[in-house]
Amino acid sequence: MKIVIAPDSYKNCLTAEKVAEHIDNGIKSVDKNIETVKFPLSDGGEGFTELFLKNDKSEKISIFATDPLGRKTKTYYCKINETAYMDMSKASGLELLNDNERDPLNATTFGFGEMLLSALDLGCKKIVCGIGGSATNDGGIGMAQALGAKFFHNDLLLDVKGGKYLDKIDKIDINDLDKRIFSTEIVIASDVDNRMIGENGATYIYGPQKGAKYADLQILESGMKNYLKLLELMFNVEIDVKGSGAAGGLGGGMIAFLNGKIQSGIQAVLENISFDEVVRDSDLIITGEGKTDSQSANGKVLFGVSMAGSKYKIPVIAISGSLEQGYEKLFNFGLTSAFSIIDNPTDLQSSIMNAGKNIELTTINIMRMIKYLNKCS
């Protein structure tokens, strides 16, 4: 029996690699002779770059870039031949800030722009960008500024640093935008389908987790509306599309300034790794994530893995931190069954502390059932 273990991370709890290890431990506790292949995944957020660094031809490119609050930080991305794979969060993400530093009014994507410049300097002709986990709500103005764009208010040049500037901008100059970007394929790997504005847009859905207070949300949303109007007039293209609100509107900024193309995060991943080759001869796929709900069917890891299982008629089991309303949608895309690791009433902190152990226990129960059914068949 061959089992492919292909989970996402449990956000703020366990990396995808750790989740895969715990599932593997559970399987081997029941039957150490089962062949397992650990294949931790990402849909554009945490762990995106690491997936590609596993490639034998990959190069880890280390650089210094600007963090969300303007400090220099050492970061990295992956280069394989003439393609770069990078997490914007490695320069502009929440992972770089303490909880009390979260401030989307002032957080900038400038460092992500510096990462893009580095890839251009190395001659990359394609850049695949995972844009999950951002600390920003600046619509990509910092990124664009790093690439040479200029922003004005009443003909005065603005040194834009954060979402608070979006409402001030009344003119954008791209004459000095790095021309190499126009001959480079930019793929925006996003795990959300939110638009730039509106009650389900970048600001109102993700602003609070980035530190925005109620009054901040009004400022940021007003600014995003102003900025979006300028972009659509200037570039004469529809920008407020599904996924454009990812990373605080960075998705929309990349469409405008970089001619970027939004792609489902897991689709971008599975198209660029040999996942089909790994799963096609397997007997079972086990996946999972921290919270499985209706959003999981919108281009996230469980969706992509379920589709791959369906393609090859392989059962897919999800082991997740929690199962919430709407997770059943995944059954329409190839998921066979889903299990939560929570087996009794508990608080969040206890759930996080015991996640690894509970993943193993849940896996053991699943494998005991499978072993028994195999004996009966």
Side-chain angles (χ1 to χ4, degrees):
M1 186 179 195
K2 176 183 174 182
I3 301 176
V4 174
I5 305 168
D8 197 354
S9 63
Y10 280 31
K11 192 173 182 180
N12 299 322
C13 179
L14 293 171
T15 65
E17 286 79 7
K18 286 294 184 183
V19 175
E21 286 178 16
H22 287 299
I23 293 172
D24 190 46
N25 290 342
I27 293 170
K28 295 298 173 60
S29 293
V30 175
D31 188 342
K32 63 182 180 181
N33 294 315
I34 291 176
E35 178 188 358
T36 57
V37 179
K38 295 192 289 291
F39 213 108
L41 292 171
S42 167
D43 51 22
E46 181 184 5
F48 184 76
T49 302
E50 280 69 20
L51 277 174
F52 301 101
L53 285 172
K54 294 174 183 176
N55 188 298
D56 292 340
K57 297 179 180 178
S58 69
E59 298 177 65
K60 184 177 181 179
I61 309 298
S62 296
I63 64 168
F64 282 95
T66 304
D67 85 352
L69 298 183
R71 304 165 298 203
K72 284 297 178 182
T73 186
K74 190 172 183 180
T75 188
Y76 62 92
Y77 61 92
C78 172
K79 179 176 177 290
I80 303 175
N81 299 322
E82 293 186 331
T83 300
Y85 302 90
M86 60 180 64
D87 286 290
M88 70 84 63
S89 64
K90 296 296 184 189
S92 308
L94 281 173
E95 64 185 72
L96 302 175
L97 304 179
N98 297 323
D99 288 352
N100 61 2
E101 293 180 318
R102 297 183 177 192
D103 181 10
L105 287 173
N106 292 290
T108 177
T109 52
F110 192 91
F112 173 57
E114 293 174 317
M115 292 177 74
L116 292 170
L117 276 176
S118 171
L120 294 175
D121 289 342
L122 292 179
C124 292
K125 300 301 181 186
K126 179 178 180 180
I127 306 176
V128 183
C129 309
I131 61 172
S134 81
T136 58
N137 206 94
D138 74 348
I141 56 174
M143 170 205 71
Q145 187 183 37
L147 291 167
K150 294 183 175 65
F151 299 88
F152 295 86
H153 175 70
N154 291 337
D155 292 326
L156 294 176
L157 181 64
L158 296 170
D159 183 17
V160 293
K161 288 185 176 127
K164 67 184 180 184
Y165 285 91
L166 293 174
D167 212 22
K168 297 179 173 63
I169 299 169
D170 57 24
K171 179 184 173 184
I172 303 172
D173 182 351
I174 60 168
N175 287 326
D176 293 330
L177 192 69
D178 196 311
K179 301 300 187 290
R180 294 174 296 178
I181 208 71
F182 302 123
S183 57
T184 306
E185 181 184 356
I186 304 293
V187 177
I188 307 164
S190 173
D191 63 348
V192 303
D193 58 6
N194 305 80
R195 298 175 187 266
M196 291 183 75
I197 60 173
E199 63 181 15
N200 292 312
T203 299
Y204 286 120
I205 296 299
Y206 300 107
Q209 73 186 40
K210 299 174 185 182
K213 307 296 189 293
Y214 180 77
D216 300 335
L217 295 175
Q218 317 310 306
I219 295 169
L220 291 167
E221 179 70 1
S222 174
M224 195 70 76
K225 288 179 178 178
N226 172 64
Y227 173 62
L228 175 62
K229 184 177 180 180
L230 283 171
L231 289 182
E232 292 193 329
L233 284 172
M234 181 173 183
F235 291 97
N236 194 31
V237 63
E238 185 180 8
I239 293 170
D240 191 29
V241 298
K242 286 185 176 181
S244 61
L250 175 63
M254 293 177 72
I255 292 172
F257 293 102
L258 314 182
N259 193 30
K261 307 300 181 188
I262 292 179
Q263 189 175 21
S264 141
I266 190 60
Q267 183 183 354
V269 167
L270 296 183
E271 284 185 4
N272 285 278
I273 60 177
S274 55
F275 192 67
D276 272 22
E277 294 176 20
V278 173
V279 302
R280 62 162 51 103
D281 65 343
S282 64
D283 300 293
L284 173 67
I285 304 170
I286 300 181
T287 185
E289 61 186 345
K291 180 176 74 171
T292 301
D293 57 18
S294 61
Q295 294 299 309
S296 299
N298 294 334
K300 292 185 178 287
V301 164
L302 266 65
F303 171 79
V305 172
S306 297
M307 290 289 285
S310 177
K311 179 178 179 181
Y312 296 107
K313 296 181 172 55
I314 301 165
V316 179
I317 294 175
I319 299 175
S320 299
S322 65
L323 299 176
E324 300 190 8
Q325 185 175 0
Y327 79 89
E328 300 91 346
K329 287 182 181 179
L330 288 164
F331 295 146
N332 298 322
F333 301 103
L335 185 68
T336 306
S337 59
F339 299 85
S340 168
I341 65 171
I342 305 301
D343 60 358
N344 57 56
T346 187
D347 59 81
L348 178 60
Q349 191 58 38
S350 296
S351 297
I352 291 173
M353 287 177 59
N354 295 308
K357 179 187 73 174
N358 288 336
I359 289 170
E360 293 187 20
L361 290 173
T362 304
T363 305
I364 288 169
N365 282 323
I366 291 168
M367 293 308 302
R368 285 176 61 83
M369 177 180 65
I370 290 173
K371 190 172 183 179
Y372 174 78
L373 291 174
N374 285 342
K375 283 183 179 179
C376 295
S377 62

